[in-house]
Amino acid sequence: MSQLPLRAQLASALGRTAATLSRATGRGDGSVIGGRLGLMLEPDLLRKLAADRKLALVSATNGKTTTTRLITSALQELGDVATNAFGANMPAGHVSALSSAKAAPYAVLEVDEKYLPEVLDTTNAGIVCLMNLSRDQMDRAAEIWLLAQKWRRALDGKPAHVIANCDDPLVTWGASTAARVTWVAAGQRWREDSWCCPECGGPLDRGGSMAAGQGAAAGTDSSWACRECTFHRPEPNWVLDGNDVIDPRGHRWPLDLQLPGQANRSNAAIALATAEAFGLEPARALPRLRTVTSVAGRYTTVERDGRSLRLLLAKNPAGWLEAFDVADPALPIILSVNAQGPDGRDTSWLWDVDYRILGGRPVYVAGERRLDLALRLDVARVPFQLCDSFDQAVSVLAPGRIDVIANYTAFQQIRAEFGRAV
């Protein structure tokens, strides 16, 4: 890599020092404060740090952190990789990540959906991964159709190679202006935000409801096409098929991940396609994907007083659907919801989640917005016990295995209680 200009070197060094002090004093992991300071001293620092690297940006409503981790793990087969491992996914976090690994020839950055156009324009990343779009933080983010439109405009005229989930119509629409797209049939379990065509507003037919001749093969669950215009699911280059991924040459690769659930198999399919875009074939990438056991505390099991608690993160309706897929129906479950700034202060999304799946198991409710969640469960006729705190919820349960589902800041508070060792 080329040498940074002196001003950028100074800004980067001072930012790293601030990050180290933040960690040493217990104020945080330093992944934001260092970047903020660096950008104050050199506003163009992100562009300079990104130059001369082979860089991928990863964006979606759900799964960004995990997919970033999977891609990073795969690319370590090729060399050092700079990445924002703890989810600081705005420019300050990107600066911190790149500053901490100045010599790394590769970089994989998780990017907040709203910031993707800005970060792509600044870094000129060669690869962009787009996985899903669904309702999230409605008090902060724009309507997801507007986000998809911003993605379209940002990619138009850029040389970036896009890896996109063609099973999500909004992602397909957002990616379709790119110069080069590798389509991955990675699945879409949450469909409540994509029943209408983003191109013309007409109804989308899915699977067996599709009329013959409208795009991808009719009668398959993943097929979709607009009833009123030509917009339809592209032919995928990569296909997630159960526990296997089929590559563009028709070769089938068993995933055998340690991370649980359908969502993580989807993340891994995107990661394999991205690794190949970097020149890393699946035979070399897959063994590294299989070494990932947890991501920033997600899926980690922690112990307290004879209780074994598995931590699951769910930030929005689509995320809760995937968490329910992973949760063990035979176990008691603790649900914890906050509504701080990073969560979004509007909890109306709770009414979009079908909590009836929790019927028949012991449910314990905690978090700052536990009353909002309690009302939602009451309307769904799911019995629960209201607890004043996470500690109280744990203490009233008998020793044994317990699942915990929490949204973002509630999840981080729980991690902090265990010393962020997870």
Side-chain angles (χ1 to χ4, degrees):
M1 292 181 61
S2 60
Q3 184 80 0
L4 286 173
L6 183 59
R7 182 186 180 94
Q9 288 185 50
L10 177 63
S12 179
L14 290 175
R16 291 196 304 276
T17 301
T20 301
L21 288 173
S22 177
R23 289 190 293 271
T25 57
R27 294 179 178 272
D29 60 22
S31 59
V32 174
I33 185 63
R36 284 180 178 169
L37 179 59
L39 287 169
M40 286 174 61
L41 296 171
E42 171 52 274
D44 204 31
L45 184 57
L46 179 56
R47 187 186 309 276
K48 290 178 166 60
L49 286 168
D52 301 326
R53 302 191 203 233
K54 193 160 185 182
L55 170 64
L57 307 180
V58 181
S59 198
T61 306
N62 292 294
K64 295 185 293 292
T65 304
T66 301
T67 305
T68 298
R69 172 65 180 278
L70 289 169
I71 296 169
T72 299
S73 181
L75 294 185
Q76 285 168 345
E77 183 76 10
L78 300 176
D80 292 337
V81 185
T83 188
N84 48 341
F86 297 105
N89 58 21
M90 298 178 193
H94 302 147
V95 166
S96 288
L98 298 178
S99 290
S100 66
K102 292 187 300 179
Y106 305 98
V108 185
L109 298 178
E110 170 188 342
V111 184
D112 180 273
E113 310 91 282
K114 189 176 180 180
Y115 280 80
L116 180 64
E118 174 188 335
V119 175
L120 176 59
D121 186 61
T122 301
T123 63
N124 289 313
I127 297 173
V128 179
C129 304
L130 305 176
M131 301 184 299
N132 55 72
L133 276 176
S134 65
R135 64 193 76 174
D136 184 55
Q137 298 187 15
M138 295 302 295
D139 57 327
R140 180 187 75 84
E143 284 283 354
I144 53 173
W145 281 32
L146 295 179
L147 282 175
Q149 187 177 67
K150 289 178 180 178
W151 287 5
R152 283 173 64 83
R153 291 171 178 167
L155 291 167
D156 191 14
K158 290 284 196 305
H161 178 182
V162 174
I163 314 294
N165 180 9
C166 64
D167 287 340
D168 187 322
L170 277 174
V171 169
T172 300
W173 190 63
S176 60
T177 58
R180 180 184 178 191
V181 185
T182 293
W183 298 110
V184 183
Q188 185 196 31
R189 285 164 55 85
W190 176 265
R191 297 180 173 183
E192 301 309 311
D193 294 304
S194 53
W195 287 109
C196 296
C197 174
E199 182 69 30
C200 73
L204 287 180
D205 289 324
R206 289 180 174 272
S209 65
M210 286 178 53
Q214 287 185 296
T220 61
D221 290 340
S222 53
S223 301
W224 55 262
C226 179
R227 198 180 300 171
E228 297 183 0
C229 75
T230 60
F231 185 58
H232 63 274
R233 177 179 178 263
E235 189 67 29
N237 307 103
W238 295 74
V239 177
L240 175 64
D241 183 20
N243 189 48
D244 299 343
V245 172
I246 304 170
D247 69 19
R249 297 160 294 282
H251 190 92
R252 184 177 290 268
W253 301 93
L255 290 173
D256 297 330
L257 303 176
Q258 296 195 62
L259 296 176
Q262 174 69 21
N264 283 318
R265 291 191 288 274
S266 175
N267 296 336
I270 295 285
L272 279 178
T274 304
E276 185 159 282
F278 275 87
L280 182 65
E281 62 272 19
R284 296 174 66 195
L286 253 179
R288 288 190 172 268
L289 300 192
R290 292 168 181 156
T291 67
V292 179
T293 57
S294 68
V295 180
R298 298 156 173 84
Y299 318 110
T300 297
T301 297
V302 295
E303 304 290 333
R304 174 176 290 179
D305 301 327
R307 296 161 180 85
S308 182
L309 302 113
R310 183 172 56 158
L311 307 183
L312 305 174
L313 177 70
K315 302 179 290 185
N316 48 50
W320 280 80
L321 181 67
E322 300 299 348
F324 292 154
D325 177 53
V326 173
D328 188 334
L331 299 182
I333 190 164
I334 299 172
L335 311 179
S336 186
V337 171
N338 289 350
Q340 298 179 15
D343 306 303
R345 299 192 180 277
D346 181 356
T347 60
S348 61
W349 59 267
L350 290 168
W351 295 88
D352 298 324
V353 180
D354 187 354
Y355 288 100
R356 291 175 296 178
I357 194 172
L358 299 177
R361 76 183 79 173
V363 177
Y364 298 81
V365 176
E368 296 168 1
R369 300 301 285 268
R370 57 190 175 277
L371 295 180
D372 294 9
L373 180 54
L375 175 60
R376 177 68 187 94
L377 292 172
D378 185 62
V379 170
R381 298 183 179 179
V382 175
F384 63 90
Q385 182 171 331
L386 192 63
C387 302
D388 291 336
S389 66
F390 173 74
D391 277 345
Q392 184 188 74
V394 173
S395 66
V396 299
L397 280 160
R401 294 167 55 219
I402 302 163
D403 277 334
V404 178
I405 302 179
N407 73 340
Y408 186 75
T409 64
F411 187 89
Q412 300 306 331
Q413 288 169 359
I414 293 167
R415 284 187 69 208
E417 289 190 30
F418 290 92
R420 287 191 184 272
V422 296

